[in-house]
Amino acid sequence: MLNYSYYPFKNKLDNLNYTDLKRLEQVAEGWYIDYKRQGLKIIDYAKHISGFANQYGGWLIIGIDESSNGKRTAEKFLGVSLDEVEKISTELREAISAHINPEVLYEEKVFYGPSPEIGLDEDKAIVIVGIPMSHNTPHIHSSGRVYRRLADQSKPKEESDRYILDELWKRGEAKKRSVLEFLNKLPELPASQSESQWAHIFIKPSESQLPPSKLLSFDEFSKFTTNIDKSIKCMYAPMQSVSSTVDGFIARQIHNNDPSLASLSIRWWHDGSVRFDIPLNGYSLEELVSSTKNEHASKFYNIAIGTGYKDLKVIDYSIFSTALFSLVNVYLHILKLRGDKRDFYSSFNLKNIFYTSPYIDSLKFIERIKKLSIPLNTDKDISFPVEPSERTMIKHSSPFYSGSDIVEEDGFPKASIEFSIKLIYKLFNSIGIVNNIEDFIDDKSMLSVKN
């Protein structure tokens, strides 16, 4: 469900009943509500929807006649014919996709008759369209005009006041800046680790969807990140140090590590955002062969030497997928506990990979570099996206973690793997491990679990 400035119903949108609609008899048309007896022209839908989004958000309710006594509350629940419902839904989508830029987020609920309590006949339905207040303003109508919803008008007002237009633009820009600053703020490293290689993964909830009412307690965060009680049955990343922060919690893996140094960690914010800090293992060519258990390391070594590399630093991504699956699995258990069914968005930053080559223990990777040579990363840091926002980040839809979908199959967390696949592909693609989606899908070892 989306996050609204004003919500006129008692029940959630999916569970509306006649008592929710009857409440509208006390709700006047104005800032947040617009009643319509029947459907509109597509271009007029766009005016009303963009007007709500540019102002405070609101509700366009089709199939209701307002009172004639001047109060402008709902009086007659006439509904629209059932064959009109699909037409209205199609025209709403067209209005938003073709006549509003940028597009507006909305949700739609159809309440079907019969409902004798409110006088809605069997062959009628009421269409309810919810539009939250947007932070991606201004939304411009295809006519080139900007509309806003005003309390004293049943129609949105065409806005020409430069001050108001500037404020709408500032509202959108301020939100973009705050998201950008948050997602580009990386943890500082101790001096002894200042040149070490890291992957930082950010995951944030949708800004427009309603967050769960339940807050995560420190004990609950500690329970899942330490997993002392084995509540997570399959893959997880055990943390031994857990503490609170000014705006959330942090869990760190300090076993077999110097606790005073940065290590694998989960940083949780109270709004549901999270950052995974994953150290990357760097080796010389000789160390890759002698110090790891990688099956194909010697083949990589021979290709590198044959190509003329002498002092190559290699970053081993062979266990990256395993680490990410484990961290995401912990995160999904937390989301399930909170009842958090929002969509989520992810981004990543690879730090200190200047003039390093990626390695993954895959025979198909070896075959690719035989043909195309070993990739060399010439950027010190790689960020995706460069300017993160919900329009550019990787989207993870809610079915992956909506309650019972944390499924274990043969010891693997299915939801965690599904959640992570797009992120892993984009990261591996950015460093040259795979060059296209076909390589990724074809190479099963990309998503294999390693110890």
Side-chain angles (χ1 to χ4, degrees):
M1 181 174 166
L2 302 182
N3 193 8
Y4 295 97
S5 305
Y6 171 73
Y7 191 75
F9 309 113
K10 181 178 180 181
N11 294 302
K12 291 183 177 180
L13 206 57
D14 288 340
N15 301 317
L16 290 189
N17 57 40
Y18 78 90
T19 59
D20 291 293
L21 292 179
K22 196 164 182 64
R23 290 165 66 94
L24 298 176
E25 294 176 342
Q26 309 301 319
V27 179
E29 190 176 71
W31 288 106
Y32 300 101
I33 298 286
D34 198 339
Y35 300 120
K36 298 297 179 188
R37 288 174 57 97
Q38 56 192 12
L40 305 173
K41 295 178 180 179
I42 292 175
I43 202 162
D44 290 330
Y45 279 130
K47 290 179 183 179
H48 286 274
I49 292 170
S50 63
F52 275 126
N54 282 328
Q55 194 67 357
Y56 304 126
W59 300 86
L60 179 62
I61 305 177
I62 303 165
I64 291 182
D65 195 13
E66 65 183 72
S67 60
S68 56
N69 57 10
K71 292 183 178 180
R72 302 172 68 187
T73 55
E75 183 175 62
K76 297 177 181 178
F77 298 87
L78 305 173
V80 295
S81 60
L82 298 184
D83 58 358
E84 282 288 299
V85 171
E86 185 174 351
K87 178 175 181 288
I88 289 171
S89 295
T90 301
E91 291 177 342
L92 285 168
R93 291 194 296 271
E94 183 177 343
I96 288 171
S97 63
H99 293 280
I100 304 175
N101 186 33
E103 291 187 18
V104 170
L105 193 65
Y106 78 105
E107 59 186 336
E108 178 185 344
K109 169 68 177 178
V110 180
F111 184 86
Y112 291 98
S115 181
E117 298 88 351
I118 57 174
L120 184 64
D121 293 339
E122 182 178 7
D123 60 346
K124 300 289 185 178
I126 291 171
V127 180
I128 302 166
V129 185
I131 306 103
M133 176 181 173
S134 175
H135 292 283
N136 197 22
T137 53
H139 294 278
I140 303 172
H141 190 268
S142 57
S143 64
R145 298 176 174 88
V146 174
Y147 290 93
R148 284 194 309 134
R149 179 78 181 175
L150 294 178
D152 59 349
Q153 296 190 18
S154 60
K155 292 184 178 181
K157 177 187 174 184
E158 177 187 337
E159 191 54 70
S160 58
D161 187 314
R162 180 56 188 267
Y163 172 79
I164 297 297
L165 293 174
D166 284 347
E167 288 301 301
L168 286 172
W169 181 84
K170 288 178 183 177
R171 186 169 100 196
E173 287 301 303
K175 187 63 178 181
K176 290 175 187 175
R177 281 197 305 273
S178 67
V179 172
L180 194 61
E181 289 171 3
F182 173 74
L183 295 173
N184 284 337
K185 188 176 181 180
L186 300 177
E188 295 289 337
L189 293 172
S192 62
Q193 294 178 290
S194 61
E195 298 301 319
S196 58
Q197 291 76 43
W198 289 81
H200 302 290
I201 310 295
F202 279 97
I203 304 175
K204 63 175 286 297
S206 169
E207 299 156 12
S208 56
Q209 293 175 307
L210 194 65
S213 56
K214 177 179 173 58
L215 293 177
L216 183 70
S217 70
F218 177 78
D219 288 343
E220 290 167 337
F221 178 77
S222 180
K223 169 187 173 181
F224 285 124
T225 53
T226 62
N227 202 30
I228 293 173
D229 65 354
K230 306 299 181 184
S231 54
I232 300 178
K233 303 299 182 184
C234 52
M235 294 171 62
Y236 68 96
M239 304 289 170
Q240 297 81 35
S241 173
V242 187
S243 59
S244 58
T245 66
V246 67
D247 49 9
F249 311 122
I250 187 168
R252 301 170 57 235
Q253 192 174 82
I254 61 173
H255 182 66
N256 292 332
N257 294 303
D258 183 343
S260 67
L261 298 179
S263 59
L264 183 76
S265 64
I266 299 175
R267 175 71 162 86
W268 165 273
W269 283 269
H270 289 312
D271 70 349
S273 299
V274 72
R275 187 187 70 229
F276 303 140
D277 301 322
I278 305 174
L280 301 173
N281 296 320
Y283 302 99
S284 67
L285 281 171
E286 291 75 15
E287 289 170 337
L288 181 68
V289 176
S290 63
S291 302
T292 71
K293 298 179 181 179
N294 291 320
E295 181 181 355
H296 305 293
S298 60
K299 298 183 181 72
F300 182 90
Y301 176 89
N302 292 333
I303 294 172
I305 296 301
T307 305
Y309 286 105
K310 297 178 181 179
D311 189 24
L312 179 64
K313 185 165 186 179
V314 182
I315 307 300
D316 186 2
Y317 292 88
S318 299
I319 64 169
F320 175 81
S321 296
T322 301
L324 185 60
F325 293 156
S326 301
L327 294 168
V328 168
N329 196 30
V330 172
Y331 186 48
L332 297 189
H333 277 78
I334 291 174
L335 296 182
K336 180 181 179 181
L337 175 73
R338 298 184 74 211
D340 197 334
K341 299 182 180 180
R342 291 176 287 181
D343 293 329
F344 281 73
Y345 297 83
S346 66
S347 63
F348 63 82
N349 177 281
L350 297 174
K351 191 171 184 178
N352 293 328
I353 62 168
F354 186 58
Y355 274 84
T356 64
S357 287
Y359 172 83
I360 191 164
D361 201 30
S362 156
L363 184 58
K364 291 190 176 183
F365 172 69
I366 298 298
E367 291 171 351
R368 285 194 294 273
I369 65 173
K370 279 182 182 178
K371 296 178 182 178
L372 304 171
S373 190
I374 296 173
L376 187 68
N377 300 137
T378 57
D379 295 313
K380 183 176 182 181
D381 303 322
I382 293 178
S383 297
F384 178 85
V386 176
E387 294 190 359
S389 69
E390 290 190 5
R391 298 171 68 184
T392 58
M393 296 170 72
I394 301 166
K395 183 178 180 180
H396 307 270
S397 299
S398 59
F400 289 149
Y401 44 87
S402 57
S404 61
D405 287 326
I406 301 180
V407 179
E408 297 177 20
E409 292 185 354
D410 300 325
F412 297 99
K414 181 180 177 182
S416 172
I417 293 172
E418 290 179 340
F419 188 102
S420 306
I421 283 175
K422 288 187 288 186
L423 200 161
I424 293 171
Y425 165 68
K426 183 58 69 174
L427 189 148
F428 283 180
N429 177 254
S430 73
I431 54 178
I433 288 179
V434 290
N435 301 312
N436 52 61
I437 190 65
E438 289 77 18
D439 287 346
F440 183 72
I441 293 172
D442 185 53
D443 195 343
K444 303 301 181 185
S445 61
M446 295 289 173
L447 302 177
S448 63
V449 176
K450 296 181 181 291
N451 296 322

